[in-house]
Each structure stands twice: as structure tokens, then as C-alpha cells.
Amino acid sequence: MASGWMVGRRDGVVSSHAAAERDCGRVPALVAEQARRTPGATAVDDPGRTVTYAELAGRAAGVAARLRDAGAGAETVVGVFLPRGSNLVAAELGVLWAGAAYLPLEPGSPSGRLAHICKDAGVGLVVTTREFANRLPTALYVIDLERVSGGTGTPESVRADQLAYVMYTSGSTGLPKGVMVEHGALGNFTSWYRHEFGLGPADRVAMLNAPGFDVSVADVWPALTSGARVVAADEETRLSPRRLRDWLAGEEVTVALLATPLAEAVLGLPWPSGARLRYLVAAGEALRARPAPGVPFTLVNGYGPTEATVLATWSIVEADGEGAPDIGGPVAGASAHILDERLRRVPPGEPGELYIGGVGVARGYLGQPERTAERFVADPFGGARLYRTGDVVRRRPDGSLDFLGRADEQVKIRGHRVEPGEVEMAVRRHPSIAAAHVVAHRGTTLAAYVVPREGAAAPSLPELRAFLADDLPDYMLPGACVPLPSLPLTPNGKVDAKALPDPDSAAAPVAGVAPETATERALAGLWCELLELPEVGVLDNFFDLGGHSLLMHVMQDRIATSLGVRTRVVELFEHPTVRALAHHLDHPDEPAGTGAGAGRGTGAGEDAGAGPGEGPDAGEGSGAGARRRDGLARLGRRRRAASGVDAPAPSEASEASEASEMRER
């Protein structure tokens, strides 16, 4: 059982020893103090770039000065539109330094989603660079980080109840919702993480998670408030389990937090005995794996919704345990209550809904008071508020918690929390669809059941994904599309989920062309094994079948092992069908876009997810340049893995150079 928490003797609530109100300091002030103590120590290590604590503080002070000049201050939400790395850290710290709150905006997000989030959050200021500025909505004041001079001075004084950051998560109403986290909650989590894992100046903490994924908070602030070094990996490394393992060992990383699917993949690999990694934290969805005996690090199972500030409970996972690992007990400053529908405590061993209390509970949802009141409720046991997680758990005799599933329809797809209702609303906007219902499918993707409008045909899966790609990120794009004459209903008028046909058997195969060559047969076998399918056609698209970027890196390793061929991940993305990839492997000297099926998706004659004329062979005339850029953006979004990847699309740097001058004032 993890240390630092206990079970109350009379009421059975699982509480941290430090569940009382705590004040752990403010992150910007703590980082500034660290910069004064160790100005020459390395703060952030980018591929090819190193930034000291003094340089980071100077850049943050410069950003803060620009933000103050533009009117930013307490409760102002400032967008930060940058990928992982030292620029992102400097920008977010600069926003906190100014006393404002930062909102991470994913560089790989669809333009429609970006526009909605900026409008919903009331964002008027965005910190970014020239490379990314042209993708933002036009009515924003943009500060070019690369043109900000270093500054001096101390951070603005902030209160514990002042807004620190906003993170957007999937919303059941059809639109994402912004979770507001205050400085007291951020300081509490940062302090707990720093002390529990013993972070200090000798530590090297991995920066691996996308900015809009709330666990990215753990990558940065605990390290920088303890004098440790933040080390960022490149995209090719962090998406491949084998390369990531080698990088973690080679960079002498001591603490790393990974999205659960990636953590499980890394756990299954042999580890060098000399690795300095002390703690590997898995978070994002239910952990099913245990460490092999003799691994050189401690595996931690972290549980926590965004509304509870990154992690709410944790446990150390032993190699010799039985069954799925438990989620342990609360972090410092938190409490966990297992309650029934009337907010009464349930007996030990009985399932109930998990409610989180304590310092880490978020303020609520930005601009959504009714939704906030529904999920953030008064604590009937004397505390301030409880967050209703929607997760069903039970308490073991030792007080640790078993995660059993969801009480509502919310699901986890590749580490991301997804409300099927949001995807359903987007699907219903398709002009050919009259009704739709979206459910989780195979645990790794979504299935959309669609009823076409009278006189219209249901869209194919590639057509539906292409339609949705401008508004939804990769992990929310359905992996199956099942047309139905009508949705089955229960007697009270709700969709009868039990009567829906199995997507694998009901969806007509997009392409059932059998493999012909030895390479096609070998690749088809690897795809079946990896995607857990009985068969695949050589024109079926990897992503339409439920594949994603993390699986693509696993495929890269398996091709090397089975066929003895080393490939680059970009080659696999450029050839997303068995036929295209087999031809490429058999004829490596042919340029991309030539040969049988090259660059084609699902046999439709177009790149999967692209509209007519948007495939890799599209020219630059008659608007094709814009279509090509849209296709590159979609391809870039596909490259994001289960952990919530912020990978830019291929050649986006060159595309950005053609853009107009950025809109800086």
C-alpha cells in the first residue's frame, strides 16, 4: 500500500495524512527563487538546445512584461500555442509570472476546435512563434516569443484562489469544456509530486506529454521548483517504445510520467541494469500491466481527472501482485469518498461512485455554471466541495481503491477522456446523416452508428473521418461507421445499446482485396496480429481499422523483426495500406506517390481522410496548395499517439515560411 494516506476509523473515507487545507507556495515564485539559487544550472534540455534557470527566468519575465503591457493580469486567460520544449516552458511560466492563467493550445488541433476554445475561453492574447501564428484565428493579439527581450523582476504576487491554468476536455454537450485550476491546487500537486518522488537538483525529469494533456503539468513544474532538469524528447523517440526506453536510459532520466498505453508498452521491454530511472508513473487510463521482476525502477499507478489537478490517487505497483493494480489512495491534500446515489458512504468492498475532495479540486468549468454545479457538489461531511468523478470504485480492506469502470458514458481512448456525445454531435452535422449514436469500440477507438437522411446514402468511413477531421482530434475520429435504417430504442425512447449490431460484423468491409505477394501476406498478418482482426484487405487503411501513431511505432519494430527491413515512421504514414507499403518495401528506390496503391487509403482512390484532390499527388494550382496544407495537417494529427501527441505535420515548417507576416502589434 502506498504511504501517505489512511482509512478513517469511523467513516471509512480514504484520506491523505495531509488532507487539511495546505499552502505549498506559488509555482512562479518557487521557480524564480530556484533561478536565484542556481542561475547557471540547466532548467530545460531541448534536442539541440539547453536553457539555464537564469535564462528561463529572464525569458519568462520578458513575456510577463509584454503581457502586462497588453493588459493581462489576474484571471486573464492567455493562450500558449507552442509544442513541447523550452519555448513552451518559457511561455507558460511567463503567463504565470504576469499573474495571468495559461491555456495550452495544441499546434496539431483542428482549426475549428482551436477557434471554439479561444472564443469559449475569452482568449484575446496568445504567445506563440512565427512558425505557428498563421494557424490561429485572426482576431487575436499575438506575441512572438522569439522577438521578446529578456526581462528582470519578480513574479506578480498571486493568491491561492487565483486562476493558474485552464485545460479543455471532451464535453457531453457536443463541445469541449474548460477546467479551471487555481494556484492553490497547482502548488499542492507540485509540492506532493516533488516530495513524494524526492526530486532535487540531480534529477532529470522527462517532458513527454502534449501541452493540452493535463499530465503535462507533472512534466514541468515539480522539476523546476526543485532545481531538477526538464529533458524533452523528439517525436520519433517518444512514440516508439524501444526508442523511448533507450532514450530514457541514455539521457539518464530519473522520473518520467507516461500515458498508460505507452507505459505498458515500455514495461514489456527488457531494461538495462544501469538505467537511472527511479520512478515510472503511468496515468491517463486504467493500468492492467505489472512490472517484470527486477526492473530498475518503481512503477506508480496514477489516477486523476483533470478536475482534481492531474492526480488524485496513486499506488506503487508490485511485480508479484494479482489482478489489475489498484489505484491506491489520495495524494497529499486530497480525500476520496465512495458514495451511493444519495451521497451516502457505501460499505467496504461494495461498488460506489468516487468523489474527490481537498485542495486539488478545480474551481469548475469555464462559463458553464450549471455543469459546474452538477459535477462539483457540496461536501456533506464537512469539507468545502467534492468533485463527482463518474468513476465506479470499491475499497479494499487495506483502504486502497479498485477502479471498476465508468458510471456514465464517458470513455478513455488512447489515454484521452472522451465524451461520445461530443463526437455524436459532430457526426450529426454531416449533411447526409439524420441520426447517430457513438460508442466505444474495442477499447481503442469509437464506432459511429448512422441513419442516413431520406434519399441520401450513408457516408463511408473515410468520408466521415474526412468530414470530422476539421473539428475533432485524431483520437476522437471513429474507427468504424455502421449504417442503420433506424436506431434501436428502448420502451422509454433511449437508444438501446444492447440491440446495436457489432461494428466488426455489421460494417461492410471497405476493401476486401486479398494479398497477392509474399510481402503483402506478411504485412497483412502483422496488421491482423497488431489490430486484433481476423483479416484485412490490402487496400484497407491502417487508421480506418483502429490504428494510431503508437501502434504505428510498434508496427515499425515488428516489420524490422519479421521482415528484416528498417523503415522510418514517416514511410509508414505515407503508405497506410498493405499494398502501398508492400510495394514501397519491394521497390524502395521508387519515389513516394508512385506504384500500385501508393499513398491510397481504403481503396477509394484518395488518401484516407482527404477529400478529392487532397491526396499526396495533388498539385499546387487551382487551390490545391491549400488542400495540400489541409492534408498535411490531417496527416500530422494522425501522428499523435495515445499519450496525446503534439506532433507537427510533415513539412509544416516549410508551409509556415510561405505564410504572411504574423499579426503582432
Side-chain angles (χ1 to χ4, degrees), residues 11 48 82 419 423 529:
D11 56 23
L82 292 163
E419 294 277 6
V423 183
E529 178 184 345

Side-chain angles (χ1 to χ4, degrees), residues 406-478:
R406 290 290 301 172
D408 55 24
E409 296 181 348
Q410 191 181 94
V411 297
K412 281 290 184 76
I413 300 295
R414 297 176 356 226
H416 294 273
R417 194 171 71 181
V418 173
E419 294 277 6
E422 179 178 356
V423 183
E424 194 173 294
M425 292 287 287
V427 170
R428 288 179 176 178
R429 289 196 287 268
H430 191 286
S432 298
I433 293 176
H437 186 69
V438 174
V439 299
H441 178 44
R442 284 197 261 123
T444 59
T445 186
L446 299 170
Y449 295 88
V450 300
V451 178
R453 294 188 182 278
E454 185 174 355
S460 67
L461 179 60
E463 291 169 343
L464 180 62
R465 287 168 62 93
F467 174 81
L468 298 173
D470 285 337
D471 294 310
L472 300 178
D474 273 15
Y475 59 87
M476 295 175 72
L477 299 180

Side-chain angles (χ1 to χ4, degrees), residues 493-560:
K494 295 184 178 182
V495 174
D496 186 355
K498 295 181 180 179
L500 292 169
D502 178 70
D504 290 328
S505 58
V510 178
V513 181
E516 298 176 357
T517 69
T519 305
E520 287 182 352
R521 286 190 289 272
L523 290 175
L526 290 176
W527 283 31
C528 288
E529 178 184 345
L530 189 62
L531 298 171
E532 299 180 358
L533 296 173
E535 63 180 17
V536 298
V538 297
L539 298 181
D540 292 345
N541 185 281
F542 183 81
F543 300 98
D544 292 346
L545 296 174
H548 50 80
S549 298
L550 177 57
L551 287 180
M552 188 66 82
H553 283 77
V554 177
M555 176 63 68
Q556 179 190 32
D557 290 338
R558 294 194 181 180
I559 289 173

Side-chain angles (χ1 to χ4, degrees), residues 1-3 279 290 298-301 314-318 326 328:
M1 184 176 74
S3 62
Y279 290 99
R290 290 181 177 272
T298 297
L299 176 64
V300 174
N301 187 18
W314 71 295
S315 69
I316 292 175
V317 183
E318 304 292 348
D326 62 78

Side-chain angles (χ1 to χ4, degrees), residues 311-409:
L311 297 180
T313 74
W314 71 295
S315 69
I316 292 175
V317 183
E318 304 292 348
D320 57 358
E322 294 183 1
D326 62 78
I327 60 172
V331 304
S335 60
H337 305 255
I338 303 95
L339 310 178
D340 63 15
E341 65 277 3
R342 296 185 180 180
L343 299 185
R344 299 173 304 189
R345 293 195 174 101
V346 301
E350 294 295 320
E353 186 171 354
L354 177 60
Y355 288 71
I356 300 295
V359 189
V361 175
R363 180 187 296 180
Y365 300 118
L366 183 60
Q368 297 190 38
E370 293 182 359
R371 181 66 169 161
T372 297
E374 177 188 345
R375 305 301 293 191
F376 296 83
V377 300
D379 185 350
F381 311 109
R385 290 183 311 150
L386 299 177
Y387 171 67
R388 180 184 176 187
T389 67
D391 291 328
V392 178
V393 302
R394 67 183 168 209
R395 191 171 70 249
R396 294 181 175 184
D398 67 355
S400 60
L401 305 177
D402 281 327
F403 177 83
L404 303 179
R406 290 290 301 172
D408 55 24
E409 296 181 348

